Amino acid sequence: SAAIYERNGDYALGIFSSGWCQMMDGASRRLCNTDDNRKALTSGKWLCHDSCWKDASLKSMNEGKPAEVACNGGINLYVVPVWANNQIIGAINFGFGSPPKDDAELKKLSKKYKIPLKALREESRAYKDRPQFIIDYAKQRIQNAAKYLGYLVERKIAEDKHKEIEQNFRITLYSIGDAVITVDIKGNITLMNPVAERLCGYKMEQVLGKRLSQVLNIINTHTGEKVDNPVKEVMETGKVVELAKYTKLIAKDGREYQIADSAAPIENRDGEITGVVLVFSDVTDKYKAEQLLKQAKERYRIISETTTDFTFSCKKEKKGY
């Protein structure tokens, strides 16, 4: 028979395959005179629970090591603490050993647990003694079970933390004004925020797993030649890479956007590159304004160089010209 407790004393699980343990635990549970398990656990009358929790599990957790104690029910308990992330989060124990055969001991248990002496004698005689190697093997299995429980808890905590980080990451990407696309080490798209969807003309569901080059169609603004996306260079150098100043994005529907972008490596805890994040923004209006200004300056230069008249500028003073 085995029981698992959480660090706060919550009774996580009980497996009573032993007829002796079933009888003793059931009898002491009835002594509590309540259907509320929470009240029963704190009543001090659930004798088998008190042995498993106070005498065994709590002792093992406080000491941080396995413990072996005598049980109220006439057998022994072996308990092992459960560790997760360098903290004790609970304990697992099991009952072992043969029930008492001596009538004097059985009479004490009969009075304590309010069980007829005859029933105790019959259950005690029916119990088949286990050889020592079986008990030793059971102890080893309990130790392994404690390690596995700790591993499961650590993994669950890590998964929850990862989901939280991923959710925060997505919220951030979805709320910023720039377009963001992430790819894995093969250059396949793993995420695309709404701004990137709008500029490229694709929904994220349509492009997940596709090559970035199939979605991000960029050309040199002046020459019209296709420009390679910077993912490969980032992978090779491990550094942030920016595209040329004059780069144009051709969306799925043929619309054209002047963009400014950069790409940076995504690294794991060991510093290994696991992907690339590409961030770009629509600077079409800014680019048009720059071109208009450039054209105006050029016209002014041509006029100033070809005219035979004097040109001058003046500024208004407080007292006139």
Side-chain angles (χ1 to χ4, degrees), residues 23 43 45 79 90 190 231 243 246 255 262 278 295 318:
M23 181 176 66
S43 68
K45 296 179 180 179
V79 58
T190 57
V231 171
L243 285 178
Y246 302 107
R255 295 184 185 183
S262 62
L278 185 70
Q295 291 170 10
K318 290 182 179 179

Side-chain angles (χ1 to χ4, degrees), residues 19-20 23 99-101 103 106 115-128:
W20 178 265
M23 181 176 66
K101 301 289 192 297
D103 236 33
L106 292 176
I115 301 175
L117 181 59
K118 181 180 179 182
L120 286 174
R121 285 171 179 160
E122 290 176 355
E123 192 62 46
S124 177
R125 294 190 188 108
Y127 190 89
K128 294 181 180 180

Side-chain angles (χ1 to χ4, degrees), residues 222-238:
H222 298 314
T223 66
E225 294 181 356
K226 189 173 181 61
V227 177
D228 291 332
N229 68 66
V231 171
K232 182 179 179 181
E233 186 177 349
V234 172
M235 290 288 190
E236 292 175 349
T237 64

Side-chain angles (χ1 to χ4, degrees), residues 192-233:
M192 197 174 190
N193 77 346
V195 181
E197 289 179 332
R198 178 177 61 81
L199 294 179
C200 294
Y202 295 91
K203 290 293 183 181
M204 184 171 69
E205 294 76 14
Q206 298 175 305
V207 299
L208 283 178
K210 288 188 176 182
R211 302 285 294 180
L212 179 63
S213 56
Q214 295 177 265
V215 177
L216 191 71
N217 182 17
I218 49 180
I219 62 173
N220 184 287
T221 304
H222 298 314
T223 66
E225 294 181 356
K226 189 173 181 61
V227 177
D228 291 332
N229 68 66
V231 171
K232 182 179 179 181
E233 186 177 349

Side-chain angles (χ1 to χ4, degrees), residues 160-203:
D160 290 346
K161 185 65 176 177
H162 177 74
K163 289 179 181 178
E164 180 183 352
I165 293 173
E166 187 177 62
Q167 183 179 12
N168 291 337
F169 177 65
R170 286 180 179 274
I171 290 173
T172 301
L173 292 186
Y174 276 57
S175 62
I176 64 177
D178 290 333
V180 179
I181 300 177
T182 62
V183 300
D184 59 22
I185 56 175
K186 295 180 180 179
N188 298 326
I189 296 174
T190 57
L191 185 143
M192 197 174 190
N193 77 346
V195 181
E197 289 179 332
R198 178 177 61 81
L199 294 179
C200 294
Y202 295 91
K203 290 293 183 181

Side-chain angles (χ1 to χ4, degrees), residues 24 46-48 50-51 55 70-75 77 109 112-113:
M24 304 305 286
W46 197 341
L47 303 176
C48 288
D50 282 358
S51 284
D55 301 335
C71 171
N72 280 327
I75 57 174
L77 292 170
L109 289 175
K112 190 175 185 179
Y113 278 78

Side-chain angles (χ1 to χ4, degrees), residues 242-306:
E242 294 185 2
L243 285 178
K245 183 178 181 181
Y246 302 107
T247 305
K248 187 183 293 184
L249 168 66
I250 311 298
K252 180 184 177 183
D253 60 5
R255 295 184 185 183
E256 299 181 355
Y257 300 97
Q258 193 70 30
I259 63 170
D261 75 345
S262 62
I266 300 173
E267 299 179 349
N268 61 18
R269 292 180 179 179
D270 298 323
E272 299 171 335
I273 297 177
T274 59
V276 173
V277 56
L278 185 70
V279 181
F280 56 98
S281 56
D282 177 8
V283 294
T284 304
D285 292 341
K286 180 181 178 181
Y287 175 76
K288 288 180 178 179
E290 288 177 350
Q291 294 305 303
L292 288 174
L293 180 61
K294 184 177 180 181
Q295 291 170 10
K297 288 182 176 179
E298 180 63 15
R299 284 197 297 270
Y300 179 78
R301 182 187 67 79
I302 294 173
I303 292 172
S304 64
E305 290 179 355
T306 57

Side-chain angles (χ1 to χ4, degrees), residues 51-61 67 69 77 79 93:
S51 284
C52 286
W53 168 241
K54 294 180 181 177
D55 301 335
S57 296
L58 195 57
K59 173 182 174 64
S60 176
M61 287 188 288
V69 300
L77 292 170
V79 58
N93 65 58

